Every structure is written in structure tokens, then in C-alpha cells.
Amino acid sequence: MAELAADKHVKYIISVEKRKDSFENVVMEHLRMNGVYWGLTTLDLLGKLDAVDSQEVIQWIMECQHESGGFAGNVGHDPHILYTLSAVQVLALFDKLNVLDFDKVANYIAGLQNDDGSFSGDVWGEVDTRFSYIAICCLSLLHCLDKINVEKAVNYIVSCKNVDGGFGCTPGGESHAGQIFCCVGALALTGSLHHVDKDLLGWWLCERQVKSGGLNGRPEKLPDVCYSWWVLSSLIMIDRVHWINKDKLVKFILNCQDIENGGISDRPDDAVDIFHTYFGVAGLSLLEYQGLKAIDPAYALPVDVVNRIFIGR
Ligand code: GRG
Ligand code: ZN
């Protein structure tokens, strides 16, 4: 069986970071903050975070902060809750959360909570359980959950629960593995997992494994490496990860590697990208693949980074 081409993936991630005019970087211009989070978290899981100049990254992150306290995807763009979480996560990787004015960032996020407990992504008002997770994860990392109405936030998420045990993006929305990660993650971070029917949801999630060993995001859909993150992290949070065949999933992920040039794709023989490289490596980390740092399924950060924040060194 193929092994994880760790060194090749490190080279691939660093080269994407450097080639500012590459196709991948041009299409990702506006969401660069998110791409930097995926890339650097993967490097850290591979034990190679020191291959990047942290000073340079931190300075660029701070240039992306808006006067509202939120962060944009790149310098000169508008702030959004997603890029704000990515900025906080990257600073956490570098142990540099102290450069932040916690109140300012937390007030930006708290300002996006709506009367029904839901969260908007930015001033334009789109509502989605993705943003509930992001708000809760970010505020938790900043020790500022008291800035929002957690009870209402939890009730909104529970209102997005479906009869199949899964969750959608708004009440009545179809269950989707990405949305399930967000809702289960937010419930885990607020100590509210009792709202989840673990057996029912665990059954739905483990049925995502198809013949090839890969996982899909909804019934009848194709498998995709990214669901190794969305599905697996959810199964771990509800203690049902033993309901899938781990060996077959490891094989599926390893089969999606570009062994020559590095990087991981969504499914075998497709083109690699930075997102699926993260999802593949993070998935293998959740599967306890040897040589990788462990990743926290709720914070989506290496476990040592989370421990540093909550229990100190
Ligand atoms: C820090 C890990 C972390 C996440 C931040 C952005 C976010 C919070 C969560 C996104 C959750 C989500 C909705 C993921 C799903 C993304 C995805 C693969 C969507 C594709 O959906 P379809 O319907 O594809 O186009 P399928 O696979 O169903 O054919
Ligand atoms: Zn995908």
C-alpha cells in the first residue's frame, strides 16, 4: 500500500504559498486567509510549521484586520466571520494570540448574532449554521463565549436538526456532512451534545462510507477526501468512529495523493489542491496515522495548540 508522501506534501504547500501568480493563488486571492489556515495547519500536523516565516505571516494577518475588529480574506477586502476564525486559528498555531485585542475581535463576532440566536456571516446578512460554528469556535479560542447568548445559539442549531439525526444550514435544510460537522462541533464546544441522537446520527454518518472506502457528504453522492474531515470529526465527537472501516478509508485517502509532485485531490486521479491536502492529512491524523500530530475534531487545530490555549504549557 502507498504511504503518506509527507515530504512531497510539505514542498507542495510551501510552493503554493510562494507562487503568488499561480492559478491556485489567483482564484483564491479573496479567500487567502482561509487558504493560509488550511496550508499552515497541514504543515503543523506534518511537524514542519517552522518552514514558514511566522513574522511575515503575522504581519500580513494584522494588515487584513478591519476597524470593525473582523478580518478579511486578504488586504483591502471586506471582513467576514470565516476569515476572522482563520486569522485567530493561524495566530494560535504560532502561539501569537497575544497580538490581538480579544475584546475587539469578540465584539465583531457578537455583533453578528441575530435575535433568533443564529449568526450572519458578515454585514450582508447571510445566515447559516456554518457561521454559528465559526462564532462559537472563535469566541471559545478567545475565552469570550460570554459575549454572546450561548443558550439562544444552541437552540437555533437544535432547530436545524432533521428527522434523520443530521443537521442542515437553516431550519428545514437537508442534512449534509459539512453542516453536521458545524452543528456537532458547536454543540461539543458548548457542552450541549445531549441534543444529538448519537446512534441515529452515527448511523447516518457511517452510511457515508462507500465501496472504495471513501466517504460521501450525502446519500447517492460521490466520495470525496474532504468528507474524511467533515464526517470523521463528527463521528469522533459523538463516539461512533468505530462504526466505519478505518483501514479502507486510509487506503482511499492515500490513493488520492500526487506521489510525484505532492498534494492530495478530492478523489483518485483528480488535480490536487490545498484544501483537499488539508482534509486528507487531517483525516489521516484523526485516523491516528503514524508520524502525524493529533488534531482536535472540534477546534480543527492540532491538539497541542488547543492544550496550550486551555491548560497552558
Ligand atoms: C475550521 C474546519 C473548519 C471549518 C470552518 C467553512 C466551515 C467552517 C465549514 C464548512 C462546512 C461545509 C458546509 C462543508 C461542505 C463543503 C462541501 C464539500 C460542499 C459541497 O457540497 P455539494 O453538494 O457536494 O456541492 P457533494 O459532495 O454533496 O456532491
Ligand atoms: Zn471536497
Side-chain angles (χ1 to χ4, degrees):
M1 180 172 83
E3 296 203 343
L4 181 68
D7 293 345
K8 292 275 171 67
H9 299 324
V10 170
K11 277 195 192 128
Y12 165 74
I13 293 164
I14 294 170
S15 76
V16 171
E17 237 340 84
K18 290 210 172 113
R19 281 179 292 123
K20 298 248 160 31
D21 56 348
S22 69
F23 172 73
E24 194 155 353
N25 276 324
V26 172
V27 293
M28 285 186 21
E29 227 267 333
H30 64 291
L31 45 78
R32 183 147 185 268
M33 185 69 75
N34 199 219
V36 167
Y37 156 72
W38 302 120
L40 297 187
T41 304
T42 312
L43 278 187
D44 200 9
L45 294 175
L46 292 163
K48 289 284 164 22
L49 188 60
D50 54 4
V52 295
D53 181 345
S54 61
Q55 279 302 108
E56 203 182 301
V57 179
I58 293 162
Q59 195 187 331
W60 169 78
I61 289 178
M62 295 315 286
E63 282 170 28
C64 293
Q65 191 172 23
H66 191 255
E67 57 196 20
S68 61
F71 287 78
N74 211 334
V75 180
H77 290 234
D78 292 334
H80 191 280
I81 199 168
L82 172 60
Y83 307 129
T84 305
L85 172 63
S86 296
V88 168
Q89 286 173 313
V90 175
L91 291 171
L93 288 177
F94 288 125
D95 198 10
K96 277 286 187 283
L97 283 174
N98 59 343
V99 302
L100 288 176
D101 177 341
F102 282 27
D103 265 1
K104 199 173 158 98
V105 181
N107 287 337
Y108 166 77
I109 292 177
L112 292 169
Q113 188 170 30
N114 303 306
D115 287 344
D116 63 358
S118 67
F119 282 84
S120 300
D122 61 11
V123 290
W124 299 105
E126 185 197 358
V127 169
D128 190 300
T129 45
R130 270 180 298 151
F131 308 142
S132 299
Y133 163 75
I134 291 171
I136 286 167
C137 183
C138 195
L139 291 176
S140 177
L141 290 169
L142 298 174
H143 310 285
C144 287
L145 268 177
D146 57 342
K147 294 255 183 197
I148 58 164
N149 187 327
V150 173
E151 193 185 340
K152 274 189 164 187
V154 166
N155 287 341
Y156 180 78
I157 292 166
V158 172
S159 77
C160 298
K161 187 163 73 172
N162 293 318
V163 288
D164 57 16
F167 294 84
C169 47
T170 47
E174 182 192 1
S175 294
H176 184 289
Q179 239 64 47
I180 291 172
F181 159 78
C182 292
C183 295
V184 172
L187 294 175
L189 294 175
T190 52
S192 314
L193 279 176
H194 54 278
H195 290 292
V196 177
D197 183 335
K198 294 182 180 175
D199 285 335
L200 185 63
L201 178 58
W203 184 244
W204 190 93
L205 286 168
C206 78
E207 283 204 309
R208 306 281 55 79
Q209 188 160 38
V210 301
K211 257 199 185 131
S212 63
L215 306 171
N216 63 17
R218 280 181 288 172
E220 309 300 329
K221 292 279 192 161
L222 289 173
D224 180 327
V225 162
C226 64
Y227 297 113
S228 313
W229 170 260
W230 308 119
V231 173
L232 212 50
S233 56
S234 304
L235 278 169
I236 291 175
M237 289 189 273
I238 62 166
D239 298 320
R240 298 293 183 276
V241 74
H242 52 287
W243 287 8
I244 60 148
N245 185 324
K246 287 187 174 189
D247 291 340
K248 283 188 84 173
L249 180 55
V250 169
K251 277 188 194 140
F252 176 81
I253 299 172
L254 293 176
N255 259 329
C256 295
Q257 302 182 97
D258 180 334
I259 299 286
E260 260 164 48
N261 303 311
I264 300 175
S265 54
D266 55 356
R267 50 189 79 91
D269 300 324
D270 277 359
V272 304
D273 63 66
I274 195 92
F275 298 97
H276 291 88
T277 304
Y278 163 88
F279 292 122
V281 172
L284 290 172
S285 165
L286 293 175
L287 291 162
E288 298 171 286
Y289 191 89
Q290 63 176 19
L292 293 175
K293 273 195 190 184
I295 188 163
D296 185 281
Y299 286 106
L301 282 171
V303 169
D304 64 337
V305 171
V306 174
N307 286 345
R308 195 163 63 202
I309 293 171
F310 294 102
I311 42 187
R313 249 176 259 263

